[in-house]
């Protein structure tokens, strides 16, 4: 149960920022006993790999805070964030330990699929909301939204590892935020389509 919540929480974090949960898992696997990487994922705790991820994270932090560039970055991240979600879900033993299921252990691709699906759903929500935030704030909201997303990704990653039961609460809040965002985006687009031309 807790392993599944950890995987879901880390996948959610990956939907906001692909690199933060990877760094959190890799660093914690090196310096604590909180994360034990299963066979095949030792590479994630390699300091060289973590250095590359850190460089990618710095680039992401800068690019995601520039209006218009953030939308291009989101388009690129449509492939990266779901893959990251699949990696962190599987790398934390969540897939193998999901309800102590032998079936899950024998079908590790299911863990990847769950991680990819969760990260993709969160990424789509983020990528849909960002242009509306940019347009509604003349671009001023981009760095603020990006900073909140980065902080959310880090917070969710740490919660997923250290207090996984809280992942349920965060996922419920995220679902409510998604519903609210969907309504706002729909209303914004409807308002723009009714605006007279010229």
């Amino acid at each position: 149960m807790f392993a599944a919540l950890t995987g879901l929480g880390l996948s959610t974090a990956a939907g906001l920022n692909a690199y933060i949960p990877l760094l959190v898992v890799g660093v914690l696997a090196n310096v604590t006993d909180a994360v034990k990487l299963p066979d095949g994922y030792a590479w994630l705790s390699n300091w060289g790999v973590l250095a590359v991820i850190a460089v990618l994270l710095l680039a992401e932090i800068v690019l995601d805070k520039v209006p218009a560039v953030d939308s291009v970055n989101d388009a690129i991240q449509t492939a990266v964030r779901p893959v990251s979600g699949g990696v962190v879900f599987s790398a934390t033993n969540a897939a193998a330990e999901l309800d102590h299921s032998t079936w899950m252990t024998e079908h590790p691709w299911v863990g990847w699929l769950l991680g990819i699906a969760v990260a993709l759903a969160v990424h789509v929500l983020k990528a849909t909301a960002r242009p509306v935030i940019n347009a509604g704030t003349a671009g001023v909201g981009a760095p603020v939204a990006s900073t909140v997303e980065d902080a959310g990704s880090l917070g969710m990653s740490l919660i997923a590892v250290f207090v996984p039961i809280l992942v349920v609460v965060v996922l419920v809040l995220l679902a409510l935020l998604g519903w609210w965002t969907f309504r706002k985006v729909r209303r914004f687009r409807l308002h723009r389509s009714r605006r007279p031309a010229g």
Side-chain angles (χ1 to χ4, degrees), residues 70-155:
D70 61 349
S71 293
V72 174
N73 182 55
D74 276 340
I76 295 167
Q77 294 295 322
T78 300
V80 178
R81 289 177 186 146
V83 170
S84 175
V87 169
V88 291
F89 194 104
S90 299
T92 52
N93 260 345
E97 295 179 15
L98 187 64
D99 296 328
H100 300 287
S101 169
T102 305
W103 188 86
M104 286 292 292
T105 304
E106 293 171 354
H107 300 86
W109 59 270
V110 176
W112 271 87
L113 192 60
L114 286 171
I116 288 169
V118 171
L120 181 60
V122 174
H123 165 72
V124 167
L125 172 63
K126 168 186 161 24
T128 302
R130 186 59 75 82
V132 175
I133 292 170
N134 289 347
T137 63
V140 176
V144 175
S146 177
T147 301
V148 169
E149 291 159 4
D150 293 342
S153 181
L154 177 59

Side-chain angles (χ1 to χ4, degrees), residues 9 14 20 22 29 42 69 79 104 107 109 120-121 142-143 168 176 181 184:
I20 289 175
L22 290 172
V69 175
M104 286 292 292
H107 300 86
W109 59 270
L120 181 60
V168 175
L176 291 172
T181 302
K184 283 283 186 187

Side-chain angles (χ1 to χ4, degrees), residues 11-28:
S11 300
T12 300
L16 294 172
N17 186 305
Y19 309 111
I20 289 175
L22 290 172
L23 269 181
V24 167
V25 168
V27 170
L28 289 178

